[in-house]
Amino acid sequence: MLVVMRADATREQIEAVIGRIKSDGYDVHLSTGVERTLIGIIGESPTPLREDNYSTMDGVDQAVRVTSPFKLAGRNFHPEDSTVHLKGVSFGSRQKIAVIAGPCSVESREQIIETAHAVREAGATALRGGAFKPRSSPYSFQGHGELGLEWLAEAREQTGLAIVTEVMDPALVPMVAQYADMLQIGARNMQNYTLLNAVGVSHHPILLKRGMMSTIEELLMSAEYILAQGNWNIVLCERGIRTFEKYTRNTFDLNAIPVLKDISHLPVIADPSHAVGKWEYVEAVARSAIAAGADGLIVEVHPRPDEALSDGRQSLTPKRFKSMMEQIRQIAQVIGRGA
Amino acid sequence: MLVVMRADATREQIEAVIGRIKSDGYDVHLSTGVERTLIGIIGESPTPLREDNYSTMDGVDQAVRVTSPFKLAGRNFHPEDSTVHLKGVSFGSRQKIAVIAGPCSVESREQIIETAHAVREAGATALRGGAFKPRSSPYSFQGHGELGLEWLAEAREQTGLAIVTEVMDPALVPMVAQYADMLQIGARNMQNYTLLNAVGVSHHPILLKRGMMSTIEELLMSAEYILAQGNWNIVLCERGIRTFEKYTRNTFDLNAIPVLKDISHLPVIADPSHAVGKWEYVEAVARSAIAAGADGLIVEVHPRPDEALSDGRQSLTPKRFKSMMEQIRQIAQVIGRGA
Amino acid sequence: MLVVMRADATREQIEAVIGRIKSDGYDVHLSTGVERTLIGIIGESPTPLREDNYSTMDGVDQAVRVTSPFKLAGRNFHPEDSTVHLKGVSFGSRQKIAVIAGPCSVESREQIIETAHAVREAGATALRGGAFKPRSSPYSFQGHGELGLEWLAEAREQTGLAIVTEVMDPALVPMVAQYADMLQIGARNMQNYTLLNAVGVSHHPILLKRGMMSTIEELLMSAEYILAQGNWNIVLCERGIRTFEKYTRNTFDLNAIPVLKDISHLPVIADPSHAVGKWEYVEAVARSAIAAGADGLIVEVHPRPDEALSDGRQSLTPKRFKSMMEQIRQIAQVIGRGA
Amino acid sequence: MLVVMRADATREQIEAVIGRIKSDGYDVHLSTGVERTLIGIIGESPTPLREDNYSTMDGVDQAVRVTSPFKLAGRNFHPEDSTVHLKGVSFGSRQKIAVIAGPCSVESREQIIETAHAVREAGATALRGGAFKPRSSPYSFQGHGELGLEWLAEAREQTGLAIVTEVMDPALVPMVAQYADMLQIGARNMQNYTLLNAVGVSHHPILLKRGMMSTIEELLMSAEYILAQGNWNIVLCERGIRTFEKYTRNTFDLNAIPVLKDISHLPVIADPSHAVGKWEYVEAVARSAIAAGADGLIVEVHPRPDEALSDGRQSLTPKRFKSMMEQIRQIAQVIGRGA
């Protein structure tokens, strides 16, 4: 951390800062400039460093952190790319592009089984489907719960596709983990720390979606919660952020893909369906994600989008999805990957 | 709902939309314009209306909802202002300005008891203090848990101040409710529906903070979750939203105060500490909130901000808090309220 | 400026940075920590310091500026509050609250003269009205141009109110300045540097509105353009920023008022009409701005808002404006000011 | 336009709205629902329709526009893709990918000529370079002005590359157009209507960059200003928008590319350098833009980025640029285009 003193800071104020650093158990490196004094805090100590403790002292202009707040999620700690393995599919930079596809909600046994066969036939490597749905209205369809999980398990039995599904309640993590091959933490729960701790303890593979209001750094800090519990099976997912633009449902933060691949070792996938929110643009966004270096995709596919109980506006038909998969394979080849 | 057809929609496409509306059990009101056809969906039916189901049909440009999604939180349903009563303090437009004050975290028995006496002496009507802290880093101080709640209860015993504290884990709602007079749902958990349902069932008074990137409508929809469980004791809190501005911690959405008071019957308070994030501006923001019509405030006060384990940068000293209270009382008087 | 080296930076990379600093004519203050090396750049040199020049060097993590980029607009340079005087009205912290009122557009001779009398009678200290209108559509009403300015001048003659009007074209600054007592730089032109230079040269009083997408620092940098041309007669205006919230036209950044008053000496006013965009909330926002320390207001008033050619949705009637003025006077008194 | 009445609107209020529509010269289509009355405004009239005029009437809940505000820029008016031709390079969906490359600023005769040769050798089709620079600080390098344009012209003479350069001052449009093959409207000037009108009159090819906090619709409305003056030679450019994310300079709105290609006929290119702001991510962003369907790129290239007077942090070396061009060609081929 670096403490920047005000131009008019007195010698006593500077010494008070130095005194505090020492009493916190750290070393001081002083830079006395013409205009200002800069005080570097270095070394190690059991006392945690808090910017606020220094920025509130008299004569201090600001206290600036100069190291990343995440450790286990970063490349400093773990330089090599990680790989996450599920039943029959792997996520990572040395793997083929992994594509999770399926409906927003599991609506019926027939719907999920029909979709599972369709997406497997088109080349998907895992099946998505929500049994517990986070809806902004309490009056909207909230999912079929454990019954939906049973139907997903039956779809897996018939197609061999791994199952990815969301968990919202920390108390239900063990139950959902009995059915699912990968637990999804949804965007609204990215900073639900009780839930992050619960899935961290479970050691099950996790799909961690970026919150619509969260920075790249906060996404990595949420991964850090899970890693700190000893669960290293985390795949990150960029799914669009909230901005002032209204024409699309969210703004796909394409930049986040090369950034996350650079500063973290964790696999990164993209969700083009939520990122743009209109099915006619999903293929273009999916191509761009792979071209930018994503390790996979999660895509909403519904056999009859106009009958969907949720997210029909952004769901591909199986036919469109198949066309998307062909485009993805070609882009993947250009950047030296299989799909 | 209103279905806007494209300029080039065919007669068959229009009839398909009308057919679907009828099969969903609704009535149709048709407006055939020179440029476009508009199809209004009216009446009542057990089938829920989903914009996506119509917007995905051929020939449709957009499907627009024309009524509010919230019911119980709105003035149509409940025209009169609500009042929420805790032990010894009430929130609402016919009440005096209610001020909840205290430290971000309960750090020790001594700290919380010292602060409780100080804020009561300055005129606070309730005591805040976090025993369970949502922190973006798993390595930051996470709160003293139930021990912190015991200290809060002791502070209440000594001062008579009602206790407001955050609950993060749905499973801990009954335990926290045994200690607290009001349960706080933090900004990061505004859309944690498992938690909203749990506090809805509890019927305890709730302080619902707006998410840092949630809209006014989403805040009311989260209140709707709690109301739908039969818990009407909800106070809303504007605490600043996330924007591109970096000079302040958040951007205080002052507009939200008159808007919420206009479209909802629930009491509304403001959190100037988080809204601006620097103690030197907290008084100005607090004055503005009361001038705009807020029913109260929640303010961070710490006896020694430079030693705080969290949020020291935005905490007032008891002396500053006392000065703030005097300003608030005068503003309250001008707009015809006590404080 | 401070150069933060990467944890794995080599001795050669550190020496290359030091070499560059010296060849740019600055002094070096080195802090060698356990984890990283920090290199402070201090002293003075004719070579401008560019963060990019250092951040692109091998081994560098980041280059951080530690002093404000604005000079003349800041308190370091000019600790005392400035005052801006127009014909018959002054803006500044030692002055009464100044209120500029009038229609968005000058629509006709009758409309502007009628409004001028009405707002003067209610206590306004200056008259606003657009003769050149920046409209997002080329097909919308663009203003009456010089004819509108003539009508404004006639309104001034009849009422004695100073005239505030927008200028958009650098070439027209001298012409508009012949009619207006204060030139308004609109939000869309806050970073139109050709225009800023032109009004800087004119030495006319300037109302500089914050861009809807601009930070507080950028607003002060735009003021710096005008100040650097020797024109010190600048009043800053917070008018709402663009965020994700859709219920209101803009999000009023209330925080900006105490921040600007703290870090700059320039007078600051607020535009509650654009800040919230719906007339029913304008009074509450106006009260909050004065409570937070603003030196004045600019408010849209129209004798018949439903006939307005622009911004009718946010315009007060003269009657409502009069009621607002009474509230403002009382709030001003509480914080120790006249109005 | 559609006027949505409140649930409690009276018969008189509805009739007042109908009366106004008729007196404005339009036809009425009435939908009387169980809950609300909807009033469609249709037909044609010389009186422009203003939402505010209706939304302010008693009993009205909202007035909603149901047609796009842009005409000439939209596909309804001009279904076929447009092509823009400069000296030796064309932009459009039936053309090869066009790549404009060069430094942020023209710094010296040697620098621009060296860069021109390097980017031509790597496959660029036009040369960029700023002679007039919009800088947020008046103390930053503002460009060499006309001298810079002369050096650009010399670079064109030597390499045959078309010249793209920014114009900021409406009065200088004819002068800059004498040197440049394409005039750039920078992000800060996207809503500088005086400038848009000036370049509209010139009939010179225009590169219109999206403002950093402008919507897709506003970008098309700014194009409409130029089109309305009869200048159809417009290329749109997505260059990143301002959001809460701080890790990158801007947030590249990848979604805007397929959306703009869908709703407008104008060619669309991307600026990956400003979109991400760090050179190490520029190649990934460039690949994604082409994969999403962009017709070209504008990229910052500098022979020695660490000596650049501006934007060195995001400039590619000629060697990196060459590598980027090879990747672009392969992606272009996959989506059926040359480069």
Side-chain angles (χ1 to χ4, degrees):
Chain A
M1 195 156 74
L2 181 81
V3 182
V4 181
M5 302 301 295
R6 292 196 187 146
D8 59 359
T10 63
R11 171 174 285 270
E12 287 67 34
Q13 290 168 337
I14 292 167
E15 276 166 11
V17 171
I18 292 172
R20 164 135 207 180
I21 295 169
K22 288 184 175 163
S23 80
D24 278 355
Y26 293 91
D27 293 328
V28 171
H29 277 253
L30 200 67
S31 262
T32 309
V34 172
E35 217 177 320
R36 282 159 189 265
T37 294
L38 306 180
I39 307 174
I41 305 181
I42 56 179
E44 307 235 356
S45 159
T47 310
L49 270 181
R50 286 182 291 272
E51 282 127 301
D52 280 359
N53 291 0
Y54 290 93
S55 60
T56 49
M57 293 183 75
D58 290 337
V60 174
D61 183 29
Q62 48 180 321
V64 188
R65 206 180 52 204
V66 293
T67 49
S68 309
F70 47 86
K71 309 281 174 208
L72 308 179
R75 292 247 180 221
N76 280 354
F77 184 87
H78 189 293
E80 293 300 303
D81 284 350
S82 295
T83 304
V84 173
H85 302 282
L86 315 190
K87 167 195 161 64
V89 45
S90 299
F91 295 82
S93 58
R94 288 178 302 272
Q95 309 296 322
K96 294 205 305 178
I97 299 297
V99 179
I100 306 165
C104 177
S105 305
V106 178
E107 296 169 6
S108 68
R109 186 181 164 281
E110 292 65 34
Q111 174 242 24
I112 193 66
I113 287 175
E114 174 185 358
T115 311
H117 284 283
V119 301
R120 192 191 59 169
E121 194 264 326
T125 38
L127 177 68
R128 61 158 290 160
F132 297 93
K133 299 298 307 170
R135 304 301 299 273
S136 52
S137 169
Y139 313 122
S140 297
F141 175 59
Q142 310 270 324
H144 283 295
E146 191 163 2
L147 185 62
L149 297 176
E150 286 171 15
W151 295 335
L152 281 166
E154 192 178 341
R156 172 176 51 198
E157 212 170 300
Q158 291 194 18
T159 61
L161 290 172
I163 297 300
V164 182
T165 200
E166 180 162 356
V167 61
M168 294 164 60
D169 185 342
L172 297 184
V173 169
M175 186 272 275
V176 180
Q178 282 186 325
Y179 293 94
D181 300 292
M182 183 176 224
L183 300 174
Q184 176 180 317
I185 302 296
R188 288 182 182 83
N189 280 316
M190 195 201 85
Q191 295 192 314
N192 179 340
Y193 301 120
T194 308
L195 184 60
L196 295 178
N197 282 329
V199 300
V201 168
S202 84
H203 288 213
H204 226 66
I206 305 301
L207 179 63
L208 179 63
K209 298 189 92 171
R210 180 178 179 187
M212 74 175 79
M213 54 190 87
S214 300
T215 63
I216 290 172
E217 188 179 295
E218 287 168 343
L219 172 61
L220 290 172
M221 290 308 295
S222 288
E224 194 83 11
Y225 261 90
I226 302 172
L227 291 161
Q229 298 285 359
N231 185 350
W232 283 72
N233 298 306
I234 305 171
V235 174
L236 305 173
C237 180
E238 161 60 35
R239 47 76 75 204
I241 58 173
R242 180 167 273 187
T243 69
F244 61 85
E245 177 57 60
K246 307 196 188 41
Y247 198 89
T248 51
R249 180 169 177 179
N250 289 293
T251 295
F252 181 45
D253 184 4
L254 184 283
N255 290 346
I257 294 173
V259 168
L260 285 168
K261 294 297 294 178
D262 184 35
I263 64 179
S264 174
H265 53 89
L266 296 169
V268 178
I269 70 171
D271 175 346
S273 309
H274 285 85
V276 69
K278 297 182 176 177
W279 65 262
E280 57 268 46
Y281 307 126
V282 167
E283 285 166 278
V285 175
R287 290 195 307 266
S288 77
I290 301 306
D295 299 313
L297 299 169
I298 178 165
V299 184
E300 290 193 349
V301 178
H302 194 287
R304 286 164 299 280
D306 59 334
E307 293 178 10
L309 294 177
S310 53
D311 281 356
R313 185 67 187 84
Q314 69 194 33
S315 295
L316 295 181
T317 59
K319 191 179 158 194
R320 280 249 165 206
F321 174 66
K322 197 167 181 178
S323 149
M324 186 206 85
M325 284 300 298
E326 278 155 28
Q327 298 170 43
I328 291 310
R329 272 186 212 103
Q330 292 185 300
I331 300 271
Q333 216 166 9
V334 165
I335 60 164
R337 297 183 69 153
Chain B
M1 195 157 72
L2 180 82
V3 181
V4 181
M5 302 299 296
R6 292 197 185 145
D8 60 358
T10 63
R11 169 174 286 271
E12 286 69 32
Q13 290 168 338
I14 292 167
E15 277 168 7
V17 172
I18 292 171
R20 166 138 204 178
I21 295 169
K22 289 184 174 161
S23 79
D24 278 355
Y26 293 91
D27 293 327
V28 171
H29 277 253
L30 201 66
S31 262
T32 310
V34 172
E35 218 178 317
R36 283 159 189 266
T37 294
L38 306 180
I39 308 174
I41 306 181
I42 55 178
E44 305 236 357
S45 157
T47 311
L49 269 180
R50 283 182 293 270
E51 282 127 297
D52 280 0
N53 291 1
Y54 290 93
S55 61
T56 50
M57 294 184 74
D58 290 337
V60 173
D61 183 27
Q62 49 179 321
V64 188
R65 206 182 52 205
V66 293
T67 49
S68 309
F70 48 86
K71 309 279 175 211
L72 308 180
R75 291 249 180 219
N76 279 356
F77 185 86
H78 189 293
E80 293 299 304
D81 283 350
S82 296
T83 303
V84 173
H85 301 283
L86 313 191
K87 170 195 160 59
V89 45
S90 300
F91 295 83
S93 57
R94 287 178 304 271
Q95 309 297 322
K96 294 204 305 177
I97 300 297
V99 180
I100 306 165
C104 176
S105 306
V106 178
E107 297 169 6
S108 69
R109 185 179 164 282
E110 291 66 34
Q111 174 242 22
I112 193 66
I113 288 174
E114 175 185 358
T115 311
H117 284 283
V119 301
R120 194 193 56 170
E121 194 264 327
T125 37
L127 177 69
R128 63 158 289 160
F132 297 93
K133 299 300 306 171
R135 303 302 299 272
S136 52
S137 167
Y139 312 124
S140 298
F141 174 60
Q142 311 270 323
H144 283 296
E146 190 163 1
L147 185 60
L149 298 176
E150 286 170 16
W151 294 335
L152 282 167
E154 194 178 340
R156 172 177 49 199
E157 213 169 299
Q158 292 194 19
T159 60
L161 290 173
I163 297 300
V164 182
T165 199
E166 179 162 358
V167 60
M168 295 164 59
D169 185 343
L172 297 185
V173 168
M175 186 273 275
V176 180
Q178 283 186 324
Y179 294 93
D181 300 292
M182 183 177 224
L183 300 173
Q184 177 180 317
I185 302 296
R188 290 181 181 82
N189 280 316
M190 195 201 86
Q191 294 192 315
N192 179 341
Y193 301 120
T194 307
L195 184 61
L196 295 178
N197 282 328
V199 300
V201 168
S202 85
H203 287 214
H204 225 66
I206 304 301
L207 179 62
L208 178 62
K209 297 190 93 171
R210 180 179 179 187
M212 74 175 81
M213 224 164 160
S214 300
T215 62
I216 291 172
E217 187 178 297
E218 287 167 344
L219 172 60
L220 290 172
M221 290 308 294
S222 288
E224 194 83 10
Y225 261 90
I226 301 171
L227 291 161
Q229 298 286 358
N231 185 350
W232 282 72
N233 298 305
I234 304 171
V235 174
L236 305 173
C237 181
E238 161 61 32
R239 47 77 74 202
I241 58 173
R242 181 168 272 188
T243 69
F244 62 84
E245 177 57 60
K246 318 234 180 356
Y247 198 89
T248 50
R249 180 170 176 179
N250 289 293
T251 295
F252 181 45
D253 184 4
L254 184 284
N255 290 346
I257 293 173
V259 168
L260 285 168
K261 294 296 296 177
D262 184 35
I263 64 180
S264 174
H265 53 89
L266 296 170
V268 177
I269 70 170
D271 176 345
S273 310
H274 286 85
V276 69
K278 296 182 178 175
W279 65 263
E280 58 267 46
Y281 307 126
V282 167
E283 285 165 277
V285 174
R287 289 194 307 264
S288 76
I290 300 305
D295 299 313
L297 299 169
I298 177 165
V299 184
E300 290 192 351
V301 178
H302 194 287
R304 286 164 298 280
D306 60 335
E307 294 178 10
L309 294 175
S310 52
D311 282 355
R313 186 67 186 85
Q314 67 195 33
S315 295
L316 296 181
T317 58
K319 192 180 156 193
R320 280 249 166 207
F321 173 66
K322 198 168 180 179
S323 149
M324 186 206 86
M325 283 301 298
E326 278 155 27
Q327 298 170 42
I328 292 311
R329 273 187 212 104
Q330 292 185 298
I331 301 272
Q333 215 166 10
V334 167
I335 60 165
R337 297 184 69 152
Chain C
M1 195 155 75
L2 182 82
V3 181
V4 180
M5 302 301 295
R6 293 197 184 144
D8 60 358
T10 64
R11 171 174 286 271
E12 286 70 30
Q13 290 168 337
I14 292 167
E15 276 168 9
V17 171
I18 292 171
R20 165 138 207 178
I21 295 169
K22 289 185 174 162
S23 80
D24 279 355
Y26 294 91
D27 293 327
V28 171
H29 277 253
L30 201 67
S31 262
T32 310
V34 172
E35 217 176 320
R36 283 159 189 264
T37 295
L38 306 180
I39 308 174
I41 305 181
I42 54 177
E44 306 236 355
S45 158
T47 311
L49 270 181
R50 284 181 292 271
E51 282 128 298
D52 281 359
N53 292 1
Y54 290 93
S55 61
T56 49
M57 292 183 76
D58 290 338
V60 173
D61 183 29
Q62 50 180 320
V64 188
R65 207 181 51 204
V66 293
T67 48
S68 310
F70 48 86
K71 308 282 174 208
L72 307 180
R75 292 249 180 218
N76 280 354
F77 184 85
H78 190 293
E80 293 298 304
D81 283 351
S82 296
T83 304
V84 174
H85 302 282
L86 313 191
K87 171 194 160 62
V89 45
S90 299
F91 295 82
S93 58
R94 287 178 304 271
Q95 309 297 322
K96 294 204 306 178
I97 300 296
V99 179
I100 306 166
C104 176
S105 305
V106 178
E107 297 170 6
S108 69
R109 186 180 162 282
E110 291 66 34
Q111 173 242 21
I112 193 67
I113 288 174
E114 175 184 357
T115 311
H117 284 283
V119 301
R120 193 193 57 171
E121 194 264 325
T125 38
L127 177 69
R128 61 158 290 159
F132 297 94
K133 298 300 307 170
R135 304 301 300 272
S136 52
S137 167
Y139 312 124
S140 298
F141 175 59
Q142 311 269 324
H144 283 296
E146 192 165 0
L147 186 60
L149 298 176
E150 286 171 15
W151 295 335
L152 282 166
E154 193 178 341
R156 172 177 49 198
E157 213 170 300
Q158 291 194 18
T159 61
L161 291 172
I163 297 301
V164 182
T165 200
E166 180 163 357
V167 60
M168 295 164 60
D169 185 343
L172 298 185
V173 168
M175 187 271 276
V176 179
Q178 283 186 325
Y179 294 94
D181 300 292
M182 184 177 225
L183 300 174
Q184 177 181 316
I185 302 296
R188 290 182 181 83
N189 280 316
M190 194 201 85
Q191 294 192 315
N192 178 340
Y193 302 120
T194 308
L195 183 61
L196 295 177
N197 282 328
V199 301
V201 169
S202 84
H203 288 213
H204 225 68
I206 304 301
L207 180 63
L208 179 62
K209 298 189 92 172
R210 181 179 178 185
M212 74 174 79
M213 54 191 85
S214 301
T215 62
I216 290 172
E217 187 178 296
E218 287 168 343
L219 171 60
L220 290 172
M221 289 309 294
S222 288
E224 194 82 9
Y225 262 90
I226 302 172
L227 290 161
Q229 298 286 358
N231 185 350
W232 283 72
N233 299 304
I234 304 173
V235 174
L236 305 172
C237 181
E238 162 61 33
R239 46 76 77 203
I241 58 173
R242 180 168 273 187
T243 70
F244 60 85
E245 176 57 60
K246 316 232 181 357
Y247 198 88
T248 50
R249 181 171 175 180
N250 290 292
T251 295
F252 181 45
D253 184 4
L254 184 284
N255 291 346
I257 293 173
V259 168
L260 285 168
K261 294 297 296 177
D262 184 34
I263 64 179
S264 175
H265 53 89
L266 296 169
V268 177
I269 70 170
D271 175 347
S273 310
H274 285 86
V276 69
K278 297 182 177 176
W279 65 263
E280 57 268 46
Y281 306 126
V282 167
E283 285 166 277
V285 175
R287 289 195 307 264
S288 76
I290 300 305
D295 300 311
L297 299 168
I298 178 166
V299 184
E300 290 192 350
V301 179
H302 195 286
R304 286 165 298 280
D306 60 334
E307 293 178 10
L309 293 176
S310 52
D311 281 355
R313 184 70 186 83
Q314 67 195 34
S315 295
L316 296 181
T317 57
K319 191 179 158 195
R320 281 247 165 208
F321 173 66
K322 197 167 179 178
S323 149
M324 185 205 87
M325 284 300 299
E326 279 155 28
Q327 298 171 42
I328 292 311
R329 270 186 214 104
Q330 292 184 299
I331 301 271
Q333 215 166 9
V334 166
I335 60 164
R337 296 184 69 153
Chain D
M1 195 155 75
L2 181 83
V3 181
V4 181
M5 302 301 295
R6 292 197 186 146
D8 60 359
T10 63
R11 171 174 285 272
E12 287 69 33
Q13 289 169 338
I14 293 167
E15 275 166 12
V17 171
I18 292 171
R20 164 135 206 179
I21 295 170
K22 288 184 174 162
S23 81
D24 278 355
Y26 294 91
D27 292 328
V28 171
H29 276 252
L30 201 67
S31 262
T32 308
V34 171
E35 217 177 320
R36 282 158 189 266
T37 295
L38 306 179
I39 308 174
I41 306 180
I42 55 178
E44 307 236 356
S45 158
T47 310
L49 270 180
R50 285 182 291 270
E51 282 128 299
D52 280 359
N53 291 0
Y54 290 94
S55 61
T56 49
M57 293 183 75
D58 289 338
V60 173
D61 183 27
Q62 49 180 321
V64 188
R65 207 182 51 206
V66 293
T67 49
S68 308
F70 47 86
K71 309 279 173 210
L72 307 179
R75 291 247 181 223
N76 280 356
F77 184 86
H78 189 292
E80 294 298 306
D81 283 351
S82 295
T83 304
V84 172
H85 302 282
L86 315 190
K87 170 194 160 62
V89 44
S90 299
F91 295 83
S93 58
R94 288 178 303 272
Q95 309 296 322
K96 294 205 305 178
I97 299 297
V99 179
I100 306 166
C104 176
S105 305
V106 178
E107 296 169 7
S108 69
R109 185 179 163 280
E110 292 65 36
Q111 174 242 23
I112 193 66
I113 287 175
E114 176 185 357
T115 311
H117 284 283
V119 301
R120 192 192 57 170
E121 195 264 326
T125 38
L127 177 68
R128 62 158 290 159
F132 297 93
K133 298 300 306 170
R135 303 302 297 274
S136 52
S137 168
Y139 312 123
S140 298
F141 175 60
Q142 310 269 324
H144 283 296
E146 190 163 2
L147 185 61
L149 298 176
E150 285 171 16
W151 295 334
L152 281 166
E154 194 178 339
R156 171 176 50 198
E157 212 170 299
Q158 291 194 20
T159 61
L161 290 173
I163 297 300
V164 183
T165 200
E166 179 162 357
V167 61
M168 294 164 60
D169 185 343
L172 297 185
V173 168
M175 186 272 276
V176 180
Q178 282 185 325
Y179 293 93
D181 300 292
M182 184 175 224
L183 300 174
Q184 176 181 317
I185 302 296
R188 288 182 182 82
N189 280 315
M190 195 201 87
Q191 294 192 315
N192 178 340
Y193 302 120
T194 308
L195 185 60
L196 295 177
N197 282 328
V199 301
V201 168
S202 85
H203 287 213
H204 226 67
I206 304 302
L207 179 63
L208 179 62
K209 297 189 93 171
R210 179 178 179 186
M212 73 176 80
M213 223 162 160
S214 300
T215 63
I216 291 172
E217 188 179 294
E218 287 168 343
L219 172 61
L220 290 171
M221 289 309 294
S222 288
E224 194 83 10
Y225 260 90
I226 302 171
L227 291 161
Q229 298 285 358
N231 185 351
W232 283 71
N233 298 306
I234 304 171
V235 174
L236 305 173
C237 180
E238 161 60 33
R239 46 77 75 203
I241 58 174
R242 181 169 271 188
T243 69
F244 61 85
E245 176 57 60
K246 305 193 190 44
Y247 199 87
T248 51
R249 180 170 176 179
N250 289 293
T251 295
F252 181 45
D253 184 5
L254 185 283
N255 290 346
I257 293 173
V259 168
L260 284 168
K261 294 297 295 178
D262 184 35
I263 64 180
S264 173
H265 53 89
L266 296 170
V268 177
I269 71 171
D271 175 345
S273 310
H274 285 85
V276 70
K278 296 182 176 175
W279 65 262
E280 57 268 47
Y281 307 126
V282 167
E283 285 165 276
V285 175
R287 289 195 307 264
S288 77
I290 300 306
D295 300 313
L297 298 169
I298 178 165
V299 184
E300 289 193 350
V301 179
H302 194 286
R304 285 164 301 279
D306 60 335
E307 294 179 9
L309 293 177
S310 53
D311 282 356
R313 186 66 188 84
Q314 67 195 34
S315 295
L316 296 180
T317 59
K319 192 180 156 193
R320 280 250 164 204
F321 174 65
K322 198 168 179 177
S323 150
M324 186 206 87
M325 284 300 299
E326 278 155 28
Q327 298 171 42
I328 292 311
R329 272 186 212 104
Q330 291 185 299
I331 301 273
Q333 216 167 8
V334 166
I335 60 165
R337 297 184 68 154

